[in-house]
Amino acid sequence: MLSQDFESIRKYLKERILYNKQLLGKEKEQNQVLDLLKKTVINGESNSMLLIGPRGAGKSTLVSSVLSELESLKNFHKDCIIVKLHGLLHTDDRLALKSITFQMHLDNAIDGKIFGSFAENLAFLLACLKSGEKQTSKSVIFVLEDFDLFCAHHNQTLLYNLFDVSQSAQTPICVLGITCRTDVIQLLEKRVKSRFSHRQMFLYPGPCEGSEESDLKFALERIKWYLQVPEKEHKLRKNEWNTSIEMLVNDKGFQNAVQRLIDLDLNENILKNILLKCLYNMTSTSITTQQFEHELFLLEQDDMVLILQDLSPLEICLIISMKHHQDIYDNSPMNFEMIYSRYLKFANKHLSTQNVPRPVVMKAFEHIEKLELISMVSQGESRLQKEYQFFKILVTGSQISEAVAKMKLPTGIVQWANSSLV
């Protein structure tokens, strides 16, 4: 049972990790995005930009951090409106327009009316932001999460109109797209692409480009930032806690575990999840190397191997048959008849027990399909019987070998799994 002091520290750190809006090691990129948005908010310049990078690289965190800094500016809410759209939620222009109207607080102005095209509706909404006396307008920052999904909208009308406005002097807007697809520019229609500024920023996990800092040192600094209590916080036993975290980060065993995590994936979200689990399961007055290694071990486990380990001996024999077929015929598709023939060949030679009836083997094959260890190969419009439909295996040879090594199987099956082509 933790003392009240350490329970208070743990609660503070969990909130620090969960609600953190500060992106470490990406200050240069953060300043570039901040400068771009300031030009829209302060100077009334229109811009567009894409943030591209893998999931967990910190794209959304960077944008949240920049917007938080912008909101602290004097008169920000008076001069600017932030509109956030998500490709998974706003799947067509009608939903997007409804959300834009709501976030601009113009529900009363539009009052359910439809003016015609999307462009007319958007023009009306932006016109509503203009003041009567100086003919100036509020700036609008559009943040489009999963930007690539908006490319699937009909005629890319939303993107066309947003980029078109950003290229004109109608209203100062900035369109900020966030996506994981590096080929997103190729998804844009010609008329949309011509109106985009082609300003792109690529974000990747790890130290910023040009930095001499190693991945390990970068990861350790992030861990210290997440787990140490800042000086400004008046927490009891804070110094004792911070000293223990300093010792943890300098521990060789802990550094080796962090290096394993880096080799697996230097992802901000994965790191935060591991640290949160360590805090939740903490029973002593500090996080230990053993706790971190345990959470890392659970992360390193291959889900596909765990599924294979739960198969029956008959089902694993069919998987091994598929593995050998794939090796012999260079990854070509297979059907039940091919696999059943190969299984019978092995069973007649090596298994002393009575042969399994064909319907039972068929049921085992169907169960493997339901577990999505194999998938059907499209045969066009031809309708084949189940026995002759072609499949491809979705597990690798190394996964099969690892699962077989962890299962209690007859020696003959283990030797068959590890044998060369048969």
Side-chain angles (χ1 to χ4, degrees):
M1 187 72 177
L2 289 177
S3 67
Q4 190 172 352
D5 295 341
F6 285 107
E7 186 63 51
S8 173
I9 288 175
R10 180 167 74 168
K11 182 180 178 182
Y12 168 79
L13 292 175
K14 285 192 288 188
E15 291 177 353
R16 181 177 170 87
I17 293 172
L18 281 170
Y19 305 114
N20 165 54
K21 287 188 177 181
Q22 182 176 344
L23 187 63
L24 306 177
K26 297 288 187 291
E27 289 77 12
K28 180 182 174 183
E29 292 87 345
Q30 191 168 323
N31 289 332
Q32 288 177 355
V33 177
L34 181 62
D35 290 341
L36 184 76
L37 297 185
K38 275 184 177 179
K39 288 177 181 177
T40 301
V41 176
I42 299 172
N43 302 332
E45 295 181 16
S46 291
N47 293 294
S48 55
M49 183 181 195
L50 285 178
L51 267 65
I52 303 171
R55 297 197 183 277
K59 303 181 297 297
S60 298
T61 305
L62 184 145
V63 172
S64 296
S65 178
V66 168
L67 293 179
S68 296
E69 194 167 342
L70 275 176
E71 287 173 347
S72 64
L73 294 176
K74 186 180 179 182
N75 297 327
F76 173 80
H77 292 287
K78 183 181 175 183
D79 299 333
C80 184
I81 294 175
I82 297 172
V83 176
K84 296 181 179 179
L85 301 175
H86 201 295
L88 290 172
L89 295 175
H90 307 105
T91 52
D92 59 45
D93 293 341
R94 181 183 59 81
L95 291 172
L97 187 66
K98 191 174 180 180
S99 182
I100 292 170
T101 306
F102 176 76
Q103 293 182 63
M104 285 183 171
H105 309 293
L106 294 174
D107 304 70
N108 293 333
I110 199 164
D111 195 26
K113 300 186 185 88
I114 298 177
F115 300 98
S117 68
F118 181 90
E120 289 171 336
N121 277 278
L122 183 62
F124 175 78
L125 291 175
L126 296 175
C128 289
L129 300 177
K130 290 188 177 180
S131 62
E133 44 191 37
K134 295 182 181 179
Q135 290 302 307
T136 56
S137 174
K138 274 191 175 185
S139 302
V140 188
I141 296 172
F142 287 91
V143 180
L144 276 59
E145 287 266 10
D146 278 339
F147 178 87
D148 51 287
L149 297 180
F150 288 99
C151 297
H153 287 202
H154 180 65
N155 292 335
Q156 298 183 358
T157 307
L158 172 67
L159 298 181
Y160 171 78
N161 283 282
L162 289 179
F163 288 148
D164 190 49
V165 173
S166 71
Q167 287 289 311
S168 66
Q170 303 172 29
T171 304
I173 76 166
C174 183
V175 183
L176 201 59
I178 302 172
T179 180
C180 297
R181 293 194 58 166
T182 54
D183 64 340
V184 68
I185 296 294
Q186 309 305 320
L187 302 178
L188 297 176
E189 292 181 2
K190 189 176 180 180
R191 63 177 190 144
V192 179
K193 194 185 298 184
S194 65
R195 284 162 173 78
F196 174 51
S197 67
H198 290 271
R199 189 181 284 106
Q200 302 173 64
M201 177 181 289
F202 292 86
L203 282 182
Y204 297 99
C208 61
E209 191 177 348
S211 172
E212 296 182 2
E213 189 177 33
S214 66
D215 286 345
L216 177 60
K217 186 178 178 182
F218 176 75
L220 293 173
E221 286 298 322
R222 284 158 66 202
I223 291 170
K224 279 176 63 175
W225 190 89
Y226 281 125
L227 294 182
Q228 286 191 328
V229 181
E231 289 298 321
K232 63 181 180 180
E233 290 293 326
H234 301 289
K235 297 283 181 185
L236 295 174
R237 305 184 74 173
K238 173 183 67 179
N239 293 335
E240 182 182 343
W241 172 266
N242 286 349
T243 302
S244 69
I245 296 301
E246 190 72 42
M247 291 173 63
L248 175 72
V249 169
N250 292 327
D251 180 67
K252 274 290 179 188
F254 181 77
Q255 291 181 4
N256 291 335
V258 173
Q259 186 60 55
R260 276 166 52 199
L261 175 61
I262 292 169
D263 295 339
L264 184 67
D265 193 349
L266 187 56
N267 184 309
E268 190 81 11
N269 292 333
I270 291 176
L271 176 62
K272 286 163 71 173
N273 285 338
I274 289 180
L275 296 181
L276 279 172
K277 288 178 181 177
C278 288
L279 286 170
Y280 278 118
N281 299 324
M282 193 176 76
T283 53
S284 62
T285 57
S286 181
I287 292 175
T288 63
T289 300
Q290 289 72 27
Q291 277 181 293
F292 190 88
E293 286 179 331
H294 174 70
E295 299 301 336
L296 181 59
F297 171 74
L298 295 177
L299 182 67
E300 287 175 326
Q301 284 187 312
D302 191 331
D303 291 340
M304 199 64 83
V305 173
L306 295 176
I307 294 172
L308 288 170
Q309 283 180 247
D310 288 336
L311 296 180
S312 67
L314 171 59
E315 289 165 346
I316 201 69
C317 281
L318 293 180
I319 290 289
I320 294 168
S321 298
M322 295 174 194
K323 171 180 174 280
H324 285 308
H325 177 94
Q326 182 178 255
D327 291 342
I328 293 170
Y329 296 103
D330 195 22
N331 299 322
S332 63
M334 63 201 83
N335 59 32
F336 172 77
E337 288 297 336
M338 296 174 181
I339 300 309
Y340 182 61
S341 173
R342 188 168 297 279
Y343 163 73
L344 279 183
K345 181 181 175 183
F346 166 76
N348 291 333
K349 278 188 179 181
H350 300 89
L351 297 183
S352 56
T353 55
Q354 187 177 4
N355 283 343
V356 180
R358 179 188 171 94
V360 176
V361 181
M362 186 66 185
K363 279 290 181 186
F365 187 86
E366 290 173 348
H367 184 235
I368 290 171
E369 183 188 0
K370 285 180 182 177
L371 290 174
E372 296 184 357
L373 299 176
I374 58 176
S375 68
M376 190 182 299
V377 177
S378 175
Q379 298 292 311
E381 299 199 5
S382 61
R383 295 182 181 180
L384 299 172
Q385 291 182 352
K386 189 76 175 179
E387 294 89 334
Y388 301 103
Q389 289 174 342
F390 281 94
F391 293 83
K392 62 179 179 180
I393 189 167
L394 301 178
V395 291
T396 64
S398 60
Q399 288 172 327
I400 296 169
S401 299
E402 186 179 345
V404 168
K406 293 178 179 178
M407 295 172 72
K408 292 181 179 179
L409 295 168
T411 307
I413 296 177
V414 176
Q415 290 176 343
W416 182 41
N418 296 325
S419 67
S420 56
L421 305 182
V422 292

